[in-house]
């Protein structure tokens, strides 16, 4: 129409009252249209479309900001529109925002110098001013008429940020056996490590210990410092084998630590265009010849008549009450079968007002139990986690079309799926036990935590999001005292329902025969007189056996 222009992408720019309106499918907003299209090779619609795509397809919110008033109100309106399309917000920084203003100015100048060579650079970890915690950003300079020296103009810096918490989930959840990943910077500081405080807890006090303090004991092995750390800080990729000496938790905070020696092999490589190096530690030969439990056959007799329930009892109720859901009837039936005690009392024991069920056992899933661990929290907040896991573990568990691996599109990792089904076989023996009498009636919970992060327990009640049994005091205590029952020091229960003392014991990887184990360099299943004859340090008489044999070295689960 009159007074309107349209670019090649269909965006309408309309002159109106001394400013321009940019009109897209979702409405109009004030914007700035460059007067000379040959000088500026970008448009509002391209930026807004990219921002909207980042939000819709990658879940990344787009934020825009400016640091002075030189561009005027029109450009500020344009930046605000781009941020709105990307589900973010626009922030104008000016001198009244001291001291943050000075920090932003210095930060932009630093990024400009780092990226002005037309390359991409990762920043070091820093505390995000908008409250996202510790983050690292991938930055790239943005130019007008890039590649044309006569007219090229530095426009700004585009960056995409990842929180260290996201990086931690990607690294620490993709592990097997005793293998684990870690990340250090060029100063040798450990940013991500399984024995390091999670990044989500570090924002208020970001202290990163040297990787040497986590991977050695009193400077030993010296080879780690000379071969691994030295090459890491110089960003040289490599591998190295050695006998590692590390301090690991013996149980709760009152139980102290123990010195552990393992034959390990380190692998590491720098992240391109960054200050970071990612490494893996593999215990040899355990993690090289690592085996995982197989999922039971379809319609497995011990569990075919049983149902898996998650610990989120309240969710079964609220989702079942939402009649607009397709699975409302399934949620209602599940809640009825659980026979929830809303007064929080079962078998004469009070669970501090928490809903509890004694009719069924329940399970929790750790973040690494999911094929997409980085989406665990969002799935849970969006009421996707519980109903999807319930469906896969029940309605679809014997369906031959259900994806069997993460690569095929599965929801749960195959190891976790197998552990859920295998542990379900203990539900009926648990419930059938005689829990009367002064000694047994005082037991508040019986559970089984697996190395995959699955925890089955009875009676059931809700624990916190992402509960991981492998980091609980009773799990540490059992793995530190493999040859006998472990008794923990008193600790606060995970749901705050009381002060507990836990008796726990290890469950080892199966060893079908001495010959099979010997082929892999182990002695599991071989005859023994006592623990000193075994690599694991444990000599036991397995169920149905007539003589004692060595257990496998690897702990698959802990019963408590």
């Amino acid at each position: 129409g009159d007074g309107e222009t349209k670019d090649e992408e269909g965006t309408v720019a309309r002159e109106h009252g001394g400013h321009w309106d940019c009109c897209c499918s979702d409405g109009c907003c004030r914007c700035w249209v460059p007067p000379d299209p040959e000088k500026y090779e970008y448009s509002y619609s391209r930026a807004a479309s990219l921002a909207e795509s980042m939000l819709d397809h990658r879940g990344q919110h787009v934020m825009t900001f400016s640091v002075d008033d030189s561009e005027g109100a029109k450009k500020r309106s344009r930046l605000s529109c781009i941020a709105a399309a990307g589900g973010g917000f626009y922030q104008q920084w000016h001198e009244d925002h001291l001291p943050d203003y000075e920090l932003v100015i210095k930060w932009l100048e630093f990024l400009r110098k780092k990226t002005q060579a037309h390359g991409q650079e990762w920043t070091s970890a820093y505390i995000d001013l908008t409250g996202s915690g510790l983050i690292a950003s991938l930055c790239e300079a943005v130019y007008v008429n890039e590649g044309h020296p006569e007219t090229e103009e530095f426009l700004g810096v585009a960056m995409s940020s990842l929180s260290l918490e996201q990086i931690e989930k990607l690294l620490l959840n993709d592990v097997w056996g005793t293998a684990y990943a870690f990340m250090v910077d060029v100063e040798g500081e450990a940013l991500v490590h399984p024995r390091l405080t999670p990044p989500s807890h570090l924002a208020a006090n970001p202290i990163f210990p040297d990787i040497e303090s986590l991977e050695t004991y009193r400077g030993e092995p010296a080879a780690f410092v000379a071969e691994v750390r030295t090459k890491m800080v110089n960003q040289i990729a490599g591998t190295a084998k050695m006998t590692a000496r590390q301090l690991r938790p013996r149980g709760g905070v009152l139980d102290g630590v123990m010195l552990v020696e393992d034959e390990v092999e380190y692998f590491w490589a720098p992240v391109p265009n960054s200050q970071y190096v990612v490494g893996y530690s593999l215990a040899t030969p355990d993690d090289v010849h690592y085996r995982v439990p197989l999922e039971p056959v379809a319609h497995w007799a011990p569990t075919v008549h049983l149902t898996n329930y998650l610990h989120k009892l309240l969710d079964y109720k609220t989702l079942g009450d939402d009649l607009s859901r397709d699975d409302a009837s399934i949620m209602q039936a599940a809640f009825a079968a659980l026979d929830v005690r809303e007064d929080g009392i079962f078998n004469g024991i009070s669970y501090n007002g928490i809903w509890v069920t004694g009719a069924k056992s329940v399970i929790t899933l750790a973040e690494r139990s999911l094929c997409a661990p980085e989406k665990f929290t969002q799935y849970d907040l969006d009421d996707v986690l519980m109903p999807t896991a319930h469906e896969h573990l029940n309605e679809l568990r014997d369906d031959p079309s259900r994806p069997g691996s993460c690569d095929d599109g599965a929801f749960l990792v195959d190891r976790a799926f197998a552990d859920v089904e295998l542990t379900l076989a203990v539900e009926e023996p648990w419930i059938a036990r005689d829990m009367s009498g002064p000694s047994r009636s005082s037991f508040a919970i019986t559970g089984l935590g697996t190395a995959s992060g699955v925890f089955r327990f009875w009676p059931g009640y809700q624990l916190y999001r992402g509960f991981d049994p492998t980091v609980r005091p009773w799990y540490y205590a059992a793995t530190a005292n493999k040859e006998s029952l472990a008794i923990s020091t008193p600790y606060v229960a995970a749901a705050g329902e009381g002060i507990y003392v836990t008796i726990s014991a290890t469950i080892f990887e199966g060893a079908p025969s001495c010959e099979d184990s010997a082929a892999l360099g182990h002695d599991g299943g071989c005859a023994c007189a006592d623990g000193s004859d075994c690599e694991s340090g444990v000599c036991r008489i397995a169920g149905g056996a007539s003589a004692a044999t060595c257990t496998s070295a690897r702990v698959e689960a802990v019963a408590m």
Side-chain angles (χ1 to χ4, degrees):
D2 295 338
E4 293 185 348
T5 62
K6 182 179 291 187
D7 67 10
E8 69 280 1
E9 298 172 350
T11 297
V12 175
R14 182 174 61 244
E15 187 175 8
H16 177 73
H19 66 267
W20 289 86
D21 282 342
C22 283
C23 303
C24 304
S25 59
D26 56 349
C28 300
C29 61
R30 292 188 179 188
C31 68
W32 171 72
V33 178
D36 185 356
E38 292 184 359
K39 180 180 178 182
Y40 295 95
E41 298 180 353
Y42 65 98
S43 68
Y44 160 78
S45 61
R46 288 180 61 188
S49 176
L50 178 60
E52 187 175 9
S53 176
M54 294 283 284
L55 177 65
D56 292 343
H57 300 296
R58 300 186 182 183
Q60 292 186 335
H61 295 259
V62 175
M63 316 295 180
T64 59
F65 59 94
S66 59
V67 292
D68 55 46
D69 293 323
S70 61
E71 300 294 348
K74 294 179 181 178
K75 186 170 183 180
R76 292 198 298 272
S77 296
R78 173 180 174 273
L79 291 172
S80 179
C81 290
I82 294 173
F89 61 85
Y90 164 72
Q91 173 70 55
Q92 180 188 3
W93 296 94
H94 49 76
E95 294 182 356
D96 293 341
H97 291 154
L98 292 173
D100 289 344
Y101 175 78
E102 293 180 350
L103 292 175
V104 172
I105 293 293
K106 292 179 181 178
W107 183 237
L108 287 178
E109 181 63 22
F110 168 76
L111 294 179
R112 175 173 180 163
K113 291 180 179 179
K114 289 283 287 184
T115 59
Q116 63 186 357
H118 298 221
Q120 293 184 344
E121 291 281 347
W122 278 97
T123 69
S124 57
Y126 62 97
I127 299 177
D128 179 36
L129 289 175
T130 62
S132 298
L134 285 166
I135 64 175
S137 300
L138 179 62
C139 306
E140 184 172 2
V142 180
Y143 294 85
V144 175
N145 295 335
E146 184 174 359
H148 303 281
E150 294 181 358
T151 58
E152 183 177 271
E153 177 185 348
F154 178 77
L155 183 64
V157 176
M159 60 183 178
S160 181
S161 300
L162 278 175
S163 70
L164 282 192
E165 187 175 3
Q166 289 176 296
I167 297 174
E168 179 193 46
K169 290 179 180 179
L170 292 172
L171 289 178
L172 298 189
N173 287 307
D174 189 17
V175 298
W176 65 96
T178 58
Y180 59 86
F182 55 91
M183 186 173 77
V184 303
D185 61 17
V186 291
E187 301 296 328
E189 295 178 331
L191 305 178
V192 175
H193 194 284
R195 291 189 291 279
L196 188 64
T197 301
S200 57
H201 299 167
L202 283 172
N205 188 24
I207 299 176
F208 303 108
D210 196 285
I211 188 64
E212 179 183 348
S213 66
L214 297 171
E215 293 293 327
T216 67
Y217 176 65
R218 295 182 177 177
E220 295 293 335
F224 180 85
V225 180
E227 297 182 37
V228 182
R229 186 188 183 282
T230 299
K231 290 183 177 179
M232 280 184 168
V233 298
N234 288 289
Q235 295 195 300
I236 301 173
T239 66
K241 292 183 178 180
M242 63 192 69
T243 301
R245 305 182 75 224
Q246 302 168 350
L247 292 176
R248 297 182 187 174
R250 187 180 293 276
V253 293
L254 300 179
D255 297 315
V257 295
M258 61 180 177
L259 180 63
V260 176
E261 293 189 359
D262 279 322
E263 295 299 319
V264 303
E265 185 169 7
Y266 289 100
F267 300 80
W268 67 93
V271 178
N273 303 317
S274 79
Q275 306 178 47
Y276 306 121
V277 178
V278 173
Y280 270 89
S281 170
L282 268 65
T284 55
D286 286 3
D287 295 325
V288 177
H289 301 289
Y290 185 65
R291 299 182 295 172
V292 299
L294 294 176
E295 181 185 330
V297 297
H299 307 291
W300 189 41
T303 62
V304 66
H305 58 293
L306 300 175
T307 301
N308 288 296
Y309 298 93
L310 278 84
H311 66 118
K312 299 176 74 67
L313 307 184
L314 181 59
D315 282 11
Y316 280 111
K317 177 70 166 62
T318 56
L319 297 181
D321 289 343
D322 184 359
L323 300 182
S324 65
R325 296 181 60 93
D326 294 337
D327 58 359
S329 60
I330 296 176
M331 297 293 102
Q332 290 173 356
F335 186 75
L338 286 167
D339 189 22
V340 174
R341 308 293 179 88
E342 297 186 18
D343 61 359
I345 299 175
F346 175 73
N347 199 29
I349 297 176
S350 172
Y351 292 83
N352 202 24
I354 301 173
W355 285 12
V356 61
T357 174
K360 308 290 180 182
S361 66
V362 299
I363 60 168
T364 65
L365 299 171
E367 291 178 343
R368 67 176 182 276
S369 302
L370 269 61
C371 287
E374 71 280 4
K375 296 181 179 179
F376 184 97
T377 300
Q378 195 60 49
Y379 280 160
D380 197 26
L381 293 174
D382 293 343
D383 290 331
V384 172
L385 176 60
M386 193 278 282
T388 304
H390 183 93
E391 179 187 26
H392 281 244
L393 293 170
N394 295 294
E395 287 81 11
L396 300 180
R397 68 177 172 182
D398 294 325
D399 187 340
S401 64
R402 174 179 54 81
S405 69
C406 294
D407 291 339
D408 295 333
F411 185 71
L412 299 175
V413 299
D414 50 0
R415 167 71 192 274
F417 196 100
D419 283 345
V420 169
E421 192 68 7
L422 290 169
T423 59
L424 181 56
V426 303
E427 179 181 271
E428 290 181 323
W430 278 353
I431 296 176
R433 291 174 303 173
D434 179 8
M435 299 300 291
S436 61
S439 58
R440 296 186 178 183
S441 62
S442 60
F443 280 92
I445 180 175
T446 301
L448 188 61
T450 72
S452 68
V454 172
F455 180 51
R456 182 176 294 278
F457 62 107
W458 177 87
Y461 48 88
Q462 183 161 330
L463 298 179
Y464 58 79
R465 178 184 298 123
F467 177 89
D468 188 342
T470 64
V471 299
R472 296 300 295 166
W474 50 267
Y475 198 100
Y476 281 132
T479 54
N481 301 278
K482 300 176 183 178
E483 70 283 357
S484 60
L485 292 176
I487 303 178
S488 74
T489 54
Y491 64 93
V492 178
E497 66 273 25
I499 305 295
Y500 283 175
V501 173
T502 300
I503 302 172
S504 55
T506 49
I507 298 175
F508 295 88
E509 177 190 40
S513 70
C514 183
E515 292 76 15
D516 289 342
S517 294
L520 298 176
H522 301 298
D523 59 8
C526 299
C528 57
D530 54 47
S532 62
D533 296 333
C534 305
E535 177 187 349
S536 66
V538 181
C539 180
R540 290 180 178 173
I541 298 179
S546 58
T549 57
C550 294
T551 67
S552 296
R554 184 179 298 114
V555 174
E556 290 288 351
V558 170
M560 52 85 78

